[in-house]
């Protein structure tokens, strides 16, 4: 059983939604990333999503674009990110780590070389925003053999037919993009979400994560009532700009924010469980 | 090169030209691209739509434009006869409008009320704002902040036409970043917005669709050349940034094996200096802006900054069909430097009384070298893709002249 599967089973058993923070590797400086990952796990993260910096992050809003730019100023490349994963694994053998990024850095490294290096570093999943299932056969084959789960996005605009296709290619979990737009867009509407997740569940037994538009404890709690995992990115990454030149301050602030979300999510699940009895 | 390529079979159903092209975008856009592909394939077979397009090209754009025999330049160079396909005489002054007319008609048939586009030199932005004004559609143009300075007159033209021009301040603040920003807009407003991409790049069906709208250039030129000389040209020459004017000229000649094709990339300060925009000459295959193609990138797969005197060629990628034509050897690609392009600019202006765009001047510069190596009974068609009015300030500034 993969680390991602194990973790989702643990969460299910404990009756809670998984909390998945996204951070951009190398932001605000490469030395901060591994410490930040550990701090987020201590604050309640069940899985860590690590963004791979790219010069042209087309699917990201301004907050994460700037994080990529900061990371690139330090020259953080894909091999550096895998080295961070390896260092993280020295102290944490259980928390799954998923890379989220764009195809070109992976393609440049070479899919085979990437799969091998990623497995050796202890990576668990790869989400390439601009790699749809139609184009992924070569990559997913190599990832499968290396024991790395390909994670795919489902969008509000995805047709039923495509959901089926995506669900067949996906491993680990399915990431539902809760709104049309880039990362860090306007707030999502939790009421419409449940219906949409039910529709996706007709095609897959994989856990469903929800991201884009979750910005505070309240929205995290609302999503935790209906989804298997809550992904939060821009709300954490924006804190780097509130602590310029102070990585320790950024790490504390991000962990505090994530901790608030954790508590609100767990409270929401226990009240809804009590209510349904 | 295989002798039996069925040129009509490219791209394949998923938009591939060999290993290039395809559709590499976030999931949110896949539905819109499917819809666009359906509509485009349906209307390109619809006689009523084609008649509407043809009427607009005649009455609004001014087609067919001439294939002009540049006799004086040909004589001075002492080699091949040079024919200029006068896309600069189109309404709005460049080939770009051939495509925006077509896509705007599709937008109207899809019921979209809002048009967005990216632009580098501003020619595509102007051509988009023009058709949006004519059809009464809301129009937003994304343009790198650096380019809004280099091409200020075009920014004003777009605003006069009622478009909102958004200066893009992310990344390198040029064309590639404008494209990123337009994609971000599209993913957010996909329900009511039509994205008019200006070149033969982007996710499928854009490279094929833009090519098909631009292929009117080559169809006319082929017929006009045969009419004027009784035979096919020997060589076609066009500048290549994204590559839409070049594909437009080349595509109708692909099956004519005797016709050579040369695309001219922007060599900037010289390909060996690293400050250039010549991905076909000095890049390698990768994935950017929805398609696999040749890119300028570093060892980590990050896209690197490009340089060219012409904003319209200042792009780190190139249309996937060009990448494929290069690999199979059907077309060849060269580059000329900023200085060579400027020399081409002046030479054509002084010799033929035609001021070309700086983009186009790259093609002219190559012809200055190529024509003397050919015989006077041979001929070259050069795509005169745009006129140079927009570049007067750049040229003057470069030569230390205050206007």
């Amino acid at each position: 059983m993969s680390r991602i599967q194990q973790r989702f089973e643990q969460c299910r058993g404990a009756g809670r939604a998984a909390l998945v923070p996204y951070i951009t590797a190398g932001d605000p400086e490469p030395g901060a990333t591994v410490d930040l990952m550990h701090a987020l796990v201590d604050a309640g993260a069940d899985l860590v999503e690590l963004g791979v910096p790219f010069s042209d992050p087309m699917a990201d809003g301004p907050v994460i674009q700037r994080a990529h730019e900061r990371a690139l100023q330090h020259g953080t490349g894909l091999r550096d990110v895998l080295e961070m994963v390896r260092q993280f694994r020295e102290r944490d053998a259980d928390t799954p780590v998923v890379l989220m990024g764009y195809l070109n850095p992976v393609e440049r490294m070479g899919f085979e070389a990437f799969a091998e290096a990623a497995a050796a570093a202890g990576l668990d999943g790869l989400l390439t925003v601009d790699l749809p299932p139609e184009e992924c056969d070569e990559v997913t084959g190599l990832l499968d053999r290396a024991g790395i789960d390909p994670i795919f996005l489902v969008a509000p605009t995805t047709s039923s037919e495509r959901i089926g296709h995506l669900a067949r290619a996906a491993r680990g979990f399915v990431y539902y993009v809760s709104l049309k737009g880039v990362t860090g867009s306007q707030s999502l509407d939790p009421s419409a979400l449940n219906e949409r997740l039910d529709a996706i569940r007709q095609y897959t037994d994989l856990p469903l994560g929800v991201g884009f538009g979750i910005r505070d404890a309240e929205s995290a709690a609302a999503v935790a009532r209906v989804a298997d995992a809550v992904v939060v990115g821009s709300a954490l990454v924006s804190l780097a700009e509130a602590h310029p030149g102070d990585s320790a301050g950024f790490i504390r602030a991000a962990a505090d924010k994530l901790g608030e979300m954790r508590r609100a999510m767990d409270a929401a699940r226990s009240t809804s469980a009590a209510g349904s009895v | 090169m295989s002798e039996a390529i069925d040129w009509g079979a490219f791209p394949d159903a998923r938009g591939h030209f060999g290993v290039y092209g395809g559709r590499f975008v976030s999931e949110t856009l896949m539905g819109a691209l499917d819809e666009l592909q359906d509509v485009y394939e349906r209307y390109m077979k619809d006689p009523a739509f084609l008649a509407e397009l043809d009427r607009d090209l005649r009455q609004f754009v001014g087609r067919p434009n001439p294939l002009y025999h540049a006799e004086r330049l040909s004589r001075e160079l002492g080699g091949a006869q040079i024919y200029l396909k006068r896309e600069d005489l189109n309404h709005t002054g460049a080939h770009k409008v051939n495509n925006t007319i077509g896509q705007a008609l599709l937008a109207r048939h899809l019921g979209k009320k809002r048009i967005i586009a990216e632009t580098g030199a501003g020619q595509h932005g102007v051509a988009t704002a023009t058709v949006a004004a004519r059809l009464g559609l809301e129009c937003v143009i994304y343009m790198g902040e650096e380019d809004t300075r280099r091409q200020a007159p075009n920014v004003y033209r777009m605003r006069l036409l009622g478009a909102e021009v958004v200066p893009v301040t992310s990344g390198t603040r040029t064309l590639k970043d404008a494209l990123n920003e337009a994609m971000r807009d599209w993913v957010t407003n996909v329900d009511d917005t039509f994205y008019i991409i200006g070149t033969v790049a982007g996710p499928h069906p854009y490279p094929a669709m833009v090519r098909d709208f631009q292929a009117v250039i080559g169809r006319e030129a082929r017929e006009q050349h045969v009419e004027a000389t009784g035979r096919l040209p020997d060589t076609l020459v066009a500048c290549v940034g994204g590559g839409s004017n070049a594909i437009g000229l080349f595509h109708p000649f692909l099956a004519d094996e005797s016709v050579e094709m040369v695309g001219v990339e922007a060599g900037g300060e010289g390909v060996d200096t690293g400050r250039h925009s010549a991905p076909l000459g000095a890049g390698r295959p990768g994935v950017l802006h929805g398609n696999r193609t040749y890119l300028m990138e570093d060892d980590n797969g990050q896209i690197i900054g490009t340089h060219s005197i012409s904003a319209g060629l200042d792009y780190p990628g190139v249309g996937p069909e060009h990448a494929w034509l290069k690999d199979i050897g059907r077309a060849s690609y060269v580059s000329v430097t900023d200085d060579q392009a400027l020399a081409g600019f002046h030479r054509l202006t002084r010799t033929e009384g035609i001021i070309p765009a700086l983009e186009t001047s790259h093609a002219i510069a190559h012809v200055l070298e190529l024509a003397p190596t050919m015989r006077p009974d041979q001929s070259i068609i050069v795509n005169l893709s745009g006129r140079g009015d927009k570049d007067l300030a750049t040229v003057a500034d470069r030569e230390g002249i205050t206007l």
Side-chain angles (χ1 to χ4, degrees), chain B residues 35-44 106 205 208-209 212:
Chain B
E35 178 188 55
L36 177 60
Q37 187 177 347
D38 283 350
V39 162
Y40 149 71
E41 285 174 357
R42 194 164 74 239
Y43 281 111
M44 289 308 269
L106 287 180
M209 179 172 70
D212 291 348

Side-chain angles (χ1 to χ4, degrees), chain A residues 53-58 60 65 69 72 104 107-108 129-130 132 134-135 153 155 157-158 162 180-182, chain B residues 14 16 22-24 26-28 171 176 180 184 187-188 191 284 286-287 289 292 297-299 301-303:
Chain A
F54 184 49
S55 52
D56 294 81
M58 283 193 315
D60 285 296
Q65 285 173 44
E69 286 181 13
L72 288 174
N104 200 53
E107 179 151 324
R108 178 66 201 248
V129 183
D130 53 352
E134 287 87 342
E135 301 279 358
L153 299 172
T157 53
T158 305
R162 284 187 60 80
K180 294 169 203 152
V182 292
Chain B
R14 285 182 179 170
H16 298 106
R23 190 181 276 178
F24 296 88
S26 56
E27 179 57 30
T28 309
K176 84 173 174 71
N180 291 338
R184 291 177 186 125
V187 87
T188 307
D191 290 336
R284 45 180 291 166
V287 172
H289 293 152
R292 179 173 284 121
E297 59 174 11
D298 68 13
D299 291 341
Q302 309 295 348
I303 307 307

Side-chain angles (χ1 to χ4, degrees), chain B residues 59-93:
Chain B
Q59 297 186 355
F60 189 67
V61 176
R63 303 202 75 94
N65 56 42
L67 182 71
Y68 167 72
H69 186 189
E71 290 182 73
R72 184 158 177 246
L73 183 64
S74 305
R75 205 162 47 238
E76 279 191 7
L77 293 173
Q81 302 307 307
I82 298 161
Y83 290 85
L84 307 177
K85 183 57 178 163
R86 298 293 307 275
E87 295 298 311
D88 62 318
L89 294 179
N90 293 341
H91 179 41
T92 70

Side-chain angles (χ1 to χ4, degrees), chain B residues 118-130:
Chain B
E118 84 295 338
T119 196
Q123 291 304 101
H124 174 58
V126 167
T128 302
T130 298

Side-chain angles (χ1 to χ4, degrees), chain B residues 246-265:
Chain B
I247 279 290
L249 177 63
F250 294 176
H251 194 261
F253 290 93
L254 284 175
D256 299 315
E257 284 173 26
S258 66
V259 179
E260 290 187 16
M261 303 173 182
V262 186
V264 185
E265 294 191 295

Side-chain angles (χ1 to χ4, degrees), chain A residues 56-266:
Chain A
D56 294 81
M58 283 193 315
D60 285 296
V63 168
I64 292 178
Q65 285 173 44
R66 290 195 294 269
H68 283 239
E69 286 181 13
R70 286 191 294 271
L72 288 174
Q73 275 165 17
H74 297 282
T76 309
L78 181 54
R79 286 173 201 278
D80 304 311
V81 179
L82 289 175
E83 173 57 20
M84 292 170 189
V85 175
R86 194 193 63 72
Q87 287 176 23
F88 174 77
R89 279 277 166 264
E90 288 176 357
R91 277 180 49 203
D92 188 329
D94 303 321
T95 307
V97 178
V98 169
L99 294 193
M100 179 171 184
Y102 295 82
L103 182 58
N104 200 53
V106 183
E107 179 151 324
R108 178 66 201 248
M109 185 171 173
F111 298 129
E112 206 160 348
F114 170 78
E116 199 174 304
L123 185 74
D124 301 287
L126 175 69
L127 195 174
T128 28
V129 183
D130 53 352
L131 182 65
E134 287 87 342
E135 301 279 358
C136 77
D137 290 351
E138 183 196 350
V139 191
T140 47
L142 288 163
L143 293 180
D144 254 353
R145 261 167 274 152
I148 296 180
D149 290 331
I151 317 287
F152 287 99
L153 299 172
V154 171
T157 53
T158 305
S159 65
S160 307
E161 188 192 344
R162 284 187 60 80
I163 294 175
H165 193 57
L166 283 157
R168 277 191 297 281
R171 306 276 184 280
F173 67 100
V174 169
Y175 187 142
Y176 180 62
V177 176
S178 59
L179 39 84
K180 294 169 203 152
V182 292
T183 52
S185 304
Q186 75 276 22
S187 303
L188 63 85
D189 170 12
S191 60
L193 188 59
N194 198 18
E195 204 174 309
R196 190 66 188 164
L197 294 181
D198 280 345
I200 300 171
R201 285 199 175 96
Q202 293 178 4
Y203 296 90
T204 183
D205 294 329
L206 289 174
L208 302 185
V210 171
F212 286 40
I214 298 165
R215 47 185 48 183
D216 51 24
E218 193 188 346
S219 48
V223 172
R225 286 192 187 95
V226 294
D228 301 303
V230 175
V231 187
V232 53
S234 299
L236 299 177
V237 172
S238 64
L239 296 169
E241 293 179 0
H243 298 83
D246 175 16
S247 293
F250 165 49
I251 292 171
R252 270 195 306 278
D256 287 350
K257 178 112 185 175
L258 196 76
E260 281 170 33
M261 292 180 166
R262 173 85 273 168
R263 288 188 291 279
M265 285 165 57
D266 293 348

